[in-house]
Amino acid sequence: MAIHRIPVGIVGAGPAGLLLGHLLQRAGIESITVDIRSEHHVIERVRAGVLEQTTVDLLRDVGLGGRLTNEGLRHEGLYLAFGGVRHRLDLADLTGGRAITVYGQNEIVRDLIEARRAAGDWILFDAEHVALTHLDTEQPRLQVRTADGEETFVCDYIAGCDGFHGISRASIPSSALRVYEQVHAYTWLGVLAQAAPASQELVYCLHDDGFALLSMRSTSITRLYLQCPPDERLDAWPDERIWRELRIRLQMRDGWVPNEGPILQKGLTGMRSFVIEPMCFGRLFLAGDAAHIVPPTGAKGLNLAVADVWRLARALDEHYRTGSDAALDAYSDAGLRRTWRAQRFSCWMTSLLHRPEGATDFDRRRQRADLEYLVHSRAAMTSLAENYVGFPLD
């Protein structure tokens, strides 16, 4: 077994882990990133695509703005639709010029892998087994088995960026964590369609049959979502049924309707809220979905992960430059403040735009009143816009 000494071990080669490694490399801090999945799987899986203004600014500041600038779709507004009418919220006007950018998570991963390989960073995909040990010591260990053999990395710090089902959080004694969790009674059926988006900006819609969302991944690929029961089966949704339901929910009185085309991918996403406190244990620090899950309605998951690793990279840089652990000690509290703000907004957006199962006439009228107030009150629109485009990282 080969034994290596390295400052930082990173578990998970998704956008959080790769971005953390990139930020550390720019600060002159050596790291290794390991993942049990293949590089192809990490790149090709379709996930979040709405980037807050602060996320876009950070990626550009650290040299990752090339394709993002050329191919990302900047949106200065979004639509809320109900009663067969779309109402546009001018995000830029409401927030002093800030906006969102649609750029797929898989594209960010491509950019990061290219940048890290160009810098000569160490990334291991297809690990057969990964384990964390000695977490309660000053030299935690990252043990990796690959087809080439076993290696142990003795680290100063370990970053768990391996998602909700990863080993990092599971390696922490349950007695050391407090878990907050709520499973929402909604599931999203999401599809990628080979069709030009029928709107240049996102359309969030509340219909009597439930929520629907028109988004996009490019000028030729549309991303669409439907609310369905939490116990729904994917085989119950052939393509014809999906398009029929999308037409029903998204067609507006003025004749607007989504463009249709071949469905390239489809999948079901359950909705939950999850937070663990604290976001660290000894010298193991959790970031992204390993520490928190938010409902996707508010488009916060990827952006929260970016804020986590930005904060962790700064704290590690301060430690190695000055010897101070003040920022590392504050990492969890600062992250939890941002996380709970995102939970509040995402849960509010979810309750605003989804029909609860067995909704009463009272529920329907209350939701309609909420939306009517929102689209006619500049103060209410400003609150939504500020949260949606994101707050400064610090």
Side-chain angles (χ1 to χ4, degrees):
M1 179 185 294
I3 299 178
H4 311 274
R5 190 76 172 84
I6 197 164
V8 181
I10 303 172
V11 185
L18 291 169
L19 180 57
L20 176 59
H22 181 75
L23 296 174
L24 294 177
Q25 184 272 328
R26 288 174 59 89
I29 302 169
E30 188 181 5
S31 68
I32 181 170
T33 304
V34 301
D35 203 304
I36 62 172
R37 300 160 299 184
S38 69
E39 180 176 345
H40 175 79
H41 174 83
V42 171
I43 290 176
E44 294 302 327
R45 60 182 179 160
V46 177
R47 290 291 187 271
V50 176
L51 306 183
E52 296 177 351
Q53 182 71 63
T54 49
T55 298
V56 172
D57 293 343
L58 172 63
L59 294 174
R60 287 176 175 159
D61 288 346
V62 298
L64 298 168
R67 287 203 310 131
L68 170 60
T69 298
N70 294 330
E71 301 175 23
L73 305 176
R74 177 179 167 87
H75 292 190
E76 296 192 347
L78 60 78
Y79 290 94
L80 294 180
F82 57 95
V85 178
R86 288 182 298 163
H87 303 264
R88 184 176 186 270
L89 276 64
D90 191 329
L91 300 175
D93 175 65
L94 293 163
T95 62
R98 290 150 62 205
I100 60 166
T101 297
V102 174
Y103 188 66
Q105 173 177 312
N106 56 321
E107 302 303 332
I108 295 174
V109 169
R110 289 181 199 273
D111 296 340
L112 282 163
I113 290 176
E114 180 180 347
R116 294 203 58 194
R117 289 212 166 118
D121 285 354
W122 205 349
I123 310 175
L124 290 178
F125 289 101
D126 290 306
E128 296 176 355
H129 180 72
V130 179
L132 303 179
T133 64
H134 299 75
L135 293 179
D136 56 351
T137 74
E138 293 185 356
Q139 294 187 332
R141 299 190 179 193
L142 173 58
Q143 297 179 337
V144 183
R145 185 176 71 242
T146 68
D148 297 325
E150 296 188 12
E151 298 180 273
T152 294
F153 298 89
V154 180
C155 309
D156 296 333
Y157 298 95
I158 294 177
C161 305
D162 51 343
F164 183 78
H165 298 289
I167 66 160
S168 296
R169 188 181 69 252
S171 300
I172 300 174
S174 59
S175 59
L177 297 176
R178 184 167 185 178
V179 177
Y180 299 86
E181 184 171 19
Q182 178 172 319
V183 177
H184 301 279
Y186 314 112
T187 290
W188 276 12
L189 169 63
V191 301
L192 271 182
Q194 190 172 328
S199 171
Q200 294 184 348
E201 297 172 336
L202 278 69
V203 181
Y204 284 82
C205 180
L206 174 66
H207 185 272
D208 283 346
D209 293 341
F211 169 80
L213 169 63
L214 180 140
S215 181
M216 61 285 295
R217 283 298 174 264
S218 70
T219 55
S220 60
I221 301 294
T222 301
R223 182 74 162 156
L224 302 122
Y225 297 93
L226 286 168
Q227 174 191 345
C228 56
D231 57 352
E232 194 59 279
R233 293 172 54 89
L234 193 58
D235 58 14
W237 287 89
D239 294 1
E240 296 79 7
R241 183 187 178 192
I242 291 172
W243 286 120
R244 182 171 64 251
E245 194 62 34
L246 284 167
R247 286 193 296 271
I248 290 171
R249 297 191 195 184
L250 286 173
Q251 184 164 0
M252 299 293 115
R253 292 180 188 172
D254 61 5
W256 182 86
V257 69
N259 294 329
E260 298 183 24
I263 291 178
L264 307 175
Q265 292 184 19
K266 65 175 79 172
L268 294 169
T269 302
M271 301 183 69
R272 70 170 60 197
S273 293
F274 178 87
V275 182
I276 62 104
E277 297 184 2
M279 292 171 56
C280 58
F281 175 76
R283 294 193 169 205
L284 168 63
F285 292 84
L286 303 179
D289 287 358
H292 40 66
I293 299 285
V294 294
T297 323
K300 290 289 164 246
L302 175 59
N303 296 290
L304 270 180
V306 168
D308 286 344
V309 298
W310 172 84
R311 195 171 55 255
L312 182 54
R314 285 186 50 159
L316 290 167
D317 181 40
E318 179 179 294
H319 167 80
Y320 286 110
R321 280 190 304 103
T322 71
S324 171
D325 287 342
L328 285 169
D329 293 341
Y331 170 79
S332 178
D333 287 344
L336 288 169
R337 284 194 296 273
R338 193 179 192 92
T339 296
W340 281 112
R341 184 165 59 193
Q343 288 285 9
R344 182 209 66 80
F345 176 68
S346 297
C347 290
W348 171 76
M349 281 277 285
T350 300
S351 64
L352 179 74
L353 292 164
H354 289 71
R355 287 288 191 217
E357 190 170 353
T360 65
D361 289 342
F362 180 90
D363 294 325
R364 297 173 188 274
R365 294 301 294 269
R366 177 192 56 78
Q367 282 184 303
R368 180 65 175 263
D370 282 345
L371 286 163
E372 291 281 3
Y373 170 70
L374 175 57
V375 300
H376 291 100
S377 165
R378 185 173 179 87
M381 287 188 289
T382 299
S383 176
L384 186 152
E386 286 180 343
N387 282 274
Y388 199 82
V389 304
F391 293 96
L393 288 170
D394 55 359

